[in-house]
Amino acid sequence: MRGVVFNGDRNLEIAEFADPTPGPDDAVVQMKASGMCGSDLRFYRAPAGQALAAFGLSGDDGGIIGGHEPCGVVVALGVNVDPRTVRLGDRVMIHHYDGCGACDNCRSGWTQMCRRGAVIFGATAHGGHADFLRVPVRTLVPLPDELSFIAGAAISCGTGTAFGALRRLRVDACDTLAVFGLGPVGLSAVQLGAAMGARVIAVDVQADRVARAREFGAAHAIDSSADDPVAVIRELTAGLGVSAALDCSGAAVARAAAARAAGQWGRVAFVGEGGEVTVEVSPDIIRKQLTVLGSYTFSLTGQADCARFVADHGIDLDRLFTDRWTLGDAVRAYADFDQQAAGKAVIEF
């Protein structure tokens, strides 16, 4: 089979690998869609041999197939797999982490927080940018029939991350929600927040993303390159600020603005990785009784809940994707993706 390997220094290759066969407790999934995530660019851009370090991980990623948003069809199963769990032909997403399976975090579905160390498909183990992927059966998540494979790929990372954060923020129809950063995660948050009944205010520095947010359900959209988003939000909320804010950008200025835009008793979540933030603790947090939390992707059950929510509310995640590629186009696809000038991209099979 073919698989995409990131060699660093903006170089990748489409290498040949032996077709995988399942171990006793494994499944082999034929890929139908494998999303391209902004975090892939750390592996793509990093100097050779330093990709994992660039992502805050340790180990050797040499020869690892990339892609951590896999979605496809089960084509082989190990001898120990209970048919009540999964069958040949099932449409599945893959929770792109695995752990020891025994610690409290693994047993609750938070395998990325495994106390003995997590495996990350597409980073420390082979991922979905390949014709086939072998994974433990416990990592499989059913894909509802109502959803496309590319929607499943979105849920397998960015959309699932947005959903997990909104649930931790307890967003509902009583909320005004500000979303900072309108890449694929932020636009997913706009769609999901609107479906949860919240009044959504979307913020970004790029005018085209601001325009898309309106199309995706934002009640208001702010171009923060032209206007002070905190001042505009205060005006839109009669001076009160929002009840919930979510930063998807990882930018220091957006994180600080999220805290400042939140009103008394507000809740703020950060999902954008990396970087720093500086806030004035007394006025921005303490005296507003603000709750600030970090939200790290989603649990295995949370991924399933997100898929069901998307299907039940008729959310069109396919609209997130502006670029679709084949596996053979991977070199050109990542050169284009590296420019960060468009929206969500996916490799389809």
Side-chain angles (χ1 to χ4, degrees):
M1 70 172 189
R2 302 164 300 163
V4 173
V5 176
F6 296 117
N7 293 324
D9 294 313
R10 290 181 163 85
N11 175 265
L12 64 80
E13 62 178 313
I14 304 171
E16 291 190 359
F17 295 83
D19 289 345
T21 56
D25 301 299
D26 295 339
V28 174
V29 179
Q30 183 178 9
M31 289 295 99
K32 296 298 183 181
S34 184
M36 296 166 59
C37 177
S39 61
D40 290 344
L41 294 177
R42 300 192 186 195
F43 294 88
Y44 180 69
R45 295 169 176 169
Q50 298 182 34
L52 286 176
F55 203 65
L57 302 171
S58 59
D60 180 11
D61 68 338
I64 295 293
I65 297 171
H68 61 271
E69 300 181 358
C71 194
V73 174
V74 176
V75 294
L77 292 168
V79 295
N80 292 342
V81 176
D82 188 330
R84 294 173 298 180
T85 303
V86 63
R87 294 177 179 272
L88 296 178
D90 281 357
R91 305 168 77 247
V92 295
M93 302 173 289
I94 295 169
H95 191 244
H96 63 272
Y97 310 99
D98 193 28
C100 69
C103 72
D104 53 350
N105 286 330
C106 283
R107 288 169 62 85
S108 63
W110 289 97
T111 48
Q112 68 267 48
M113 301 179 70
C114 176
R115 297 191 183 279
R116 295 176 176 84
V119 170
I120 306 176
F121 301 116
T124 62
H126 287 326
H129 286 357
D131 296 305
F132 300 95
L133 176 59
R134 178 180 62 205
V135 292
V137 165
R138 61 177 176 256
T139 67
L140 301 183
V141 181
L143 177 66
D145 290 339
E146 302 96 314
L147 302 183
S148 68
F149 287 110
I150 65 169
I155 291 167
S156 297
C157 187
T159 300
T161 294
F163 184 78
L166 294 177
R167 291 188 79 176
R168 292 201 63 197
L169 285 169
R170 306 186 311 279
V171 168
D172 63 24
C174 295
D175 283 307
T176 297
L177 167 71
V179 178
F180 290 81
L182 301 175
V185 178
L187 284 177
S188 293
V190 170
Q191 288 182 296
L192 294 165
M196 292 172 180
R199 175 194 182 201
V200 180
I201 302 173
V203 183
D204 202 280
V205 296
Q206 295 185 27
D208 58 334
R209 288 184 171 185
V210 172
R212 289 195 81 200
R214 294 189 183 96
E215 298 171 2
F216 277 59
H220 307 279
I222 302 168
D223 182 347
S224 56
S225 70
D227 297 299
D228 176 355
V230 177
V232 176
I233 286 170
R234 291 286 175 183
E235 183 178 351
L236 291 170
T237 58
L240 296 177
V242 295
S243 54
L246 173 62
D247 174 63
C248 304
S249 71
V253 65
R255 287 172 172 160
R260 290 170 53 220
Q264 294 178 347
W265 306 104
R267 297 101 64 199
V268 178
F270 296 153
V271 300
E273 291 269 16
E276 299 178 350
V277 62
T278 300
V279 296
E280 293 188 56
V281 173
S282 291
D284 292 342
I285 298 177
I286 294 175
R287 295 175 190 170
K288 292 195 297 186
Q289 301 274 21
L290 201 67
T291 298
V292 180
L293 58 89
S295 187
Y296 181 23
T297 58
F298 43 85
S299 69
L300 194 148
T301 54
Q303 184 173 350
D305 289 345
C306 178
R308 192 67 264 160
F309 183 89
V310 169
D312 289 346
H313 288 78
I315 299 172
D316 185 5
L317 292 184
D318 291 29
R319 295 177 62 204
L320 287 170
F321 294 89
T322 58
D323 297 277
R324 303 186 185 195
W325 304 90
T326 67
L327 189 63
D329 292 326
V331 173
R332 187 159 57 98
Y334 272 93
D336 183 79
F337 190 48
D338 188 35
Q339 304 303 309
Q340 290 289 275
K344 182 73 175 166
V346 64
I347 294 173
E348 293 186 286
F349 297 81

